[in-house]
Amino acid sequence: MKAQRFIENFLMATDFQKPVEVTLDSEIRNLPEWDSLAALGVIVMFNTEYNQVIDGNHIHNAVTVNDLFLLLA
Amino acid sequence: MSTSTLYNVRFAGMATCVPKTTLSNLTDCNPQLRSQRERLVRNIGIEFRRINQPWQCFSDLAFDAAEKLLESLDWERQEIDALIVVTQSPDYLAPATAIILQDRLGLSTSTIAFDVNLGCSGYPFGLHLLGAMIAAGGVKKGLLLVGDKSATVDGTLFSDAGTATALEFSEQAPPMFFDLNSDGSGFRAILLPVGGGREPVNISHLVPFRRNEHDEWRSSAALILDGPAVLSFSTTTVPPAVCKLLEYAQVPMHEVDYFVFHQANRMINETIRKRLGLPEEKVPSTLRDFGNTSGASLPVTMTVRLRESLEAKANRVLLSGFGIGLSWGTCLVDIEGACFPALVES
């Protein structure tokens, strides 16, 4: 449930133009529209939805969506 | 130092000038980019930007703003003891733009005039600097000119503006509170790498490049902006700075009429607003119509969104500038009976 909610928030935060299926195993850099704007959206999502501060290094070090999910305290 | 209070400094007025030429981030670009641009505008919140004519400098906008303000205040030019220009877009690398403007504005040669090299955070620093000179007693009336020429046709974030603020000595003035900070360890987050002593301009910097046929042309002399680093810095630094200043001033948050933040982009500004739990009506924004006008964004927002309220009644306004440096400043100013002419377009 928590993971599903995280993926929904991830999709809202990244605001991709075309629908894309995302699972915890999805590799973020292989998502067709992943870009710097999407990365900013994810940082904001952590801050506003999860009250947690992450920075560009966290995004840089993450390979899959699950790597981001595991950052949740 | 960080926090400080200035006494006997009255906020007398403010004027803002923007170029007439408006660019749309949605339509003034390659049509193939339209879909990308729609997503960008949705997220950064910037649809329109103002851009100078090629011949127009920041100082031309600041000059027009200062002329309008002096005319509205009915101040004698010979009375002005200090002229401080806060910009990263000087007319020349040397001499200081403020000295050139001293002459253009017809101010006395006894005017103290110099530049300060600050960008998005600059307004509270400039206000403190001029305010401190007035509080010390020597300067009775002064002008602060803040802004930049940073818009480019292909960019999407930056917009041009020049602003003028007038301060004067008054024993009846309420105190102004400041919290000013600097962190040079993050200087690479926003960097104009070429043109200074570390890397002088050479011909190779002037050759545009792009990574593929869909990419926009770039210049290696252009501003480098590390988006995630700036976002993290802004959203983690600004909210506690606001709380710190209010605690120092012993002013509860609900007693502040308006919170005016540097207009960075919607993601940053909305995160800051939500972290502080501020209602939208207390946090005016000019991002959609004027973009990121660097150090001018606080005056631009005050002029465009608040001038009627600021002229009509007494207001307590918190101003927060943050960005390149890294640098961030917050100030709390009571404004009453000040002069706010309408936006100037030139």
Side-chain angles (χ1 to χ4, degrees):
Chain A
M1 194 65 184
K2 191 179 170 189
Q4 188 53 41
R5 180 70 187 147
F6 183 82
I7 290 170
E8 287 168 12
N9 285 335
F10 176 87
L11 285 170
M12 272 202 290
T14 49
D15 190 25
F16 295 138
Q17 299 279 79
K18 293 176 184 163
V20 59
E21 188 180 342
V22 171
T23 69
L24 287 179
D25 294 328
S26 299
E27 294 190 10
I28 55 177
R29 280 166 205 82
N30 287 340
L31 295 170
E33 294 180 65
W34 176 260
D35 61 2
S36 58
L37 194 63
L40 295 181
V42 170
I43 294 172
V44 170
M45 174 192 82
F46 269 83
N47 201 318
T48 55
E49 295 294 325
Y50 297 103
N51 197 25
Q52 191 172 330
V53 175
I54 66 166
D55 59 25
N57 289 330
H58 290 102
I59 302 278
H60 181 76
N61 294 334
V63 176
T64 65
V65 174
N66 192 50
D67 292 333
L68 295 173
F69 180 62
L70 292 174
L71 292 174
L72 290 180
Chain B
M1 184 184 88
S2 195
T3 47
S4 61
T5 309
L6 292 181
Y7 298 96
N8 304 327
V9 182
R10 178 174 176 271
F11 191 105
M14 169 186 279
T16 295
C17 178
V18 294
K20 284 180 180 161
T21 307
T22 300
L23 289 175
S24 164
N25 276 345
L26 293 176
T27 55
D28 292 318
C29 66
N30 183 336
Q32 290 180 331
L33 296 173
R34 178 64 186 254
S35 169
Q36 282 178 37
R37 286 295 182 93
E38 285 174 354
R39 174 171 172 252
L40 188 75
V41 167
R42 217 167 32 243
N43 285 278
I44 67 172
I46 297 169
E47 184 170 350
F48 301 105
R49 299 178 297 119
R50 297 296 180 108
I51 187 164
N52 277 1
Q53 295 294 322
W55 48 264
Q56 227 171 2
C57 289
F58 147 74
S59 68
D60 296 320
L61 303 179
F63 173 82
D64 287 346
E67 284 283 337
K68 184 69 180 179
L69 184 57
L70 290 173
E71 177 189 308
S72 304
L73 283 166
D74 206 18
W75 277 10
E76 293 294 330
R77 291 168 198 249
Q78 298 302 305
E79 296 177 316
I80 295 167
D81 301 311
L83 173 68
I84 296 175
V85 172
V86 178
T87 189
Q88 295 181 322
S89 316
D91 286 8
Y92 305 96
L93 288 177
T97 301
I99 301 173
I100 298 170
L101 282 169
Q102 168 271 324
D103 179 58
R104 283 184 70 189
L105 286 166
L107 308 186
S108 162
T109 54
S110 63
T111 306
I112 301 165
F114 58 87
D115 288 5
V116 174
N117 182 339
L118 282 171
C120 300
S121 66
Y123 191 78
F125 287 82
L127 206 61
H128 182 268
L129 185 57
L130 180 58
M133 292 165 75
I134 291 172
V139 171
K140 299 300 179 195
K141 291 184 176 177
L143 284 180
L144 169 67
L145 309 185
V146 183
D148 273 306
K149 171 187 167 84
S150 45
T152 58
V153 172
D154 293 332
T156 53
L157 204 57
F158 293 110
S159 187
D160 297 332
T163 71
T165 301
L167 301 181
E168 64 181 335
F169 183 86
S170 167
E171 289 179 347
Q172 285 75 46
M176 291 182 178
F177 302 97
F178 292 85
D179 177 59
L180 306 172
N181 303 275
S182 318
D183 180 6
S185 72
F187 84 93
R188 289 189 185 280
I190 312 171
L191 179 66
L192 196 53
V194 174
R198 293 277 178 209
E199 189 166 352
V201 179
N202 66 52
I203 192 74
S204 69
H205 296 124
L206 306 178
V207 179
F209 70 94
R210 59 179 178 172
R211 288 172 297 199
N212 58 58
E213 63 183 350
H214 304 297
D215 195 16
E216 291 177 9
W217 288 99
R218 297 163 195 272
S219 160
S220 55
L223 185 80
I224 295 170
L225 202 156
D226 180 344
V230 176
L231 177 68
S232 296
F233 154 72
S234 308
T235 55
T236 57
T237 306
V238 173
V242 168
C243 296
K244 179 184 170 192
L245 182 68
L246 290 176
E247 189 179 340
Y248 169 73
Q250 295 190 303
V251 171
M253 203 171 267
H254 69 266
E255 286 187 9
V256 178
D257 296 297
Y258 297 106
F259 294 80
V260 188
F261 293 99
H262 164 57
Q263 304 289 287
N265 70 50
R266 197 183 71 83
M267 299 167 108
I268 288 174
N269 285 67
E270 275 297 282
T271 304
I272 290 170
R273 186 183 69 76
K274 289 175 182 171
R275 296 295 300 180
L276 286 164
L278 299 172
E280 285 183 37
E281 61 269 20
K282 279 198 169 190
V283 187
S285 172
T286 45
L287 271 173
R288 179 180 172 275
D289 297 325
F290 293 93
N292 180 334
T293 48
S294 184
S297 76
L298 298 174
V300 166
T301 304
M302 291 169 76
T303 298
V304 172
R305 298 283 178 252
L306 302 180
R307 61 176 287 266
E308 288 175 1
S309 170
L310 292 172
E311 279 200 322
K313 64 180 183 65
N315 282 279
R316 178 165 283 166
V317 185
L318 184 139
L319 305 171
S320 165
F322 51 89
I324 190 165
L326 298 167
S327 162
W328 63 105
T330 318
C331 59
L332 189 64
V333 184
D334 287 331
I335 300 174
E336 183 173 12
C339 178
F340 282 87
L343 182 71
V344 180
E345 296 181 287
S346 71

